[in-house]
């Protein structure tokens, strides 16, 4: 799957889980880190949900800009 498709699917989590940040972040994680060029940081599980979502959103934004 190409990066643009991954990004679009990951961003669908904003709609599907608009009222639950944990589910929304989990959904995005699955697709962002699915791509072989994107590596999950070692301390990822220690980060608060808000920081995870911020980083995932930034990654998705970069993906859509470059492809």
């Amino acid at each position: 799957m190409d990066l643009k498709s991954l990004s679009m699917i990951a961003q669908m989590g904003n709609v599907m889980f608009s009222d639950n940040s944990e589910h929304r972040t989990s959904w995005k994680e699955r697709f962002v880190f699915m791509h072989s060029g994107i590596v999950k940081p070692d301390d990822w599980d220690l980060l608060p949900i808000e920081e995870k979502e911020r980083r995932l959103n930034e990654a998705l934004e970069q993906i859509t800009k470059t492809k």
Side-chain angles (χ1 to χ4, degrees), residues 32-43:
V32 169
F33 296 128
M34 178 187 289
H35 191 271
S36 62
I38 302 174
V39 179
K40 187 186 289 191
D42 291 336
D43 66 344

Side-chain angles (χ1 to χ4, degrees), residues 1-60:
M1 184 178 298
D2 65 33
L3 281 175
K4 190 166 186 164
S5 297
L6 278 174
S7 175
M8 290 185 332
I9 293 169
Q11 290 184 33
M12 286 175 25
N14 290 334
V15 176
M16 295 177 0
F17 305 110
S18 63
D19 60 340
N20 189 319
S21 62
E22 287 186 39
H23 287 123
R24 186 172 54 241
T25 302
S26 177
W27 175 266
K28 290 178 186 179
E29 267 183 66
R30 263 178 285 205
F31 292 100
V32 169
F33 296 128
M34 178 187 289
H35 191 271
S36 62
I38 302 174
V39 179
K40 187 186 289 191
D42 291 336
D43 66 344
W44 184 258
D45 293 328
L46 302 175
L47 297 172
I49 290 292
E50 296 81 14
E51 180 62 16
K52 288 180 182 179
E53 187 161 22
R54 184 188 72 74
R55 291 183 185 192
L56 289 167
N57 288 337
E58 285 182 15
L60 292 167

